[in-house]
Amino acid sequence: MIPLVSKSSKDFFSDDIIAVVGPTYQAAMTRDQIFDSIRKFIHYIFISAYPNLTCSVYMYGSVPLKTFLVDSDIDISLVVSDDSGIVQPEPVSYTHLTLPTICSV
C-alpha cells in the first residue's frame, strides 16, 4: 500500500498565515478584473501599432499565487512574436502605473 503524503507542519503554518493576511475573495476578483482590463487595453493598443505581430500578456508574482497584500502591485509580462518566433522589441522606458492612473485613462 502506498503511504499517503501529508503536508508538513510548515505548510499548514504558511497556509494559516496566508489565510489571515492574504487577499479576500473580493480583492482577488477585483485584481483579476483589473488585469483583464489591462490585458484587453494592451492587446488593443498593440494590434493597432503592430498588426503583423502577436502579443501575449501574462500575470506573474503574488497576484496569480493569491499571496498578495493590500498594497501589492500586479506584475505583467508581455511576450511578442511573429511567424518566425519570439521577437526582441526595441528598448522602451517603463512607467510604474498605479490603480488611480489606470482608472483615469
Side-chain angles (χ1 to χ4, degrees), residues 16 19 25 42 57 61 67 82-83 93:
D16 290 342
Y25 175 78
I42 289 171
V57 183
T67 57
D82 62 6
D83 292 337
S93 61

Side-chain angles (χ1 to χ4, degrees), residues 19-79:
V20 172
V21 300
T24 63
Y25 175 78
Q26 183 60 38
M29 292 303 299
T30 301
R31 298 266 175 146
D32 289 343
Q33 290 170 348
I34 290 170
F35 172 72
D36 192 50
S37 296
I38 292 169
R39 182 185 54 76
K40 288 176 183 175
F41 178 73
I42 289 171
H43 275 275
Y44 174 77
I45 296 299
F46 195 86
I47 289 170
S48 299
Y50 305 101
N52 60 329
L53 298 177
T54 303
C55 175
S56 299
V57 183
Y58 299 99
M59 188 172 23
Y60 66 96
S62 61
V63 175
L65 294 174
K66 306 297 186 222
T67 57
F68 63 88
L69 300 175
V70 175
D71 61 348
S72 295
D73 61 351
I74 299 175
D75 301 308
I76 297 173
S77 179
L78 305 175
V79 177

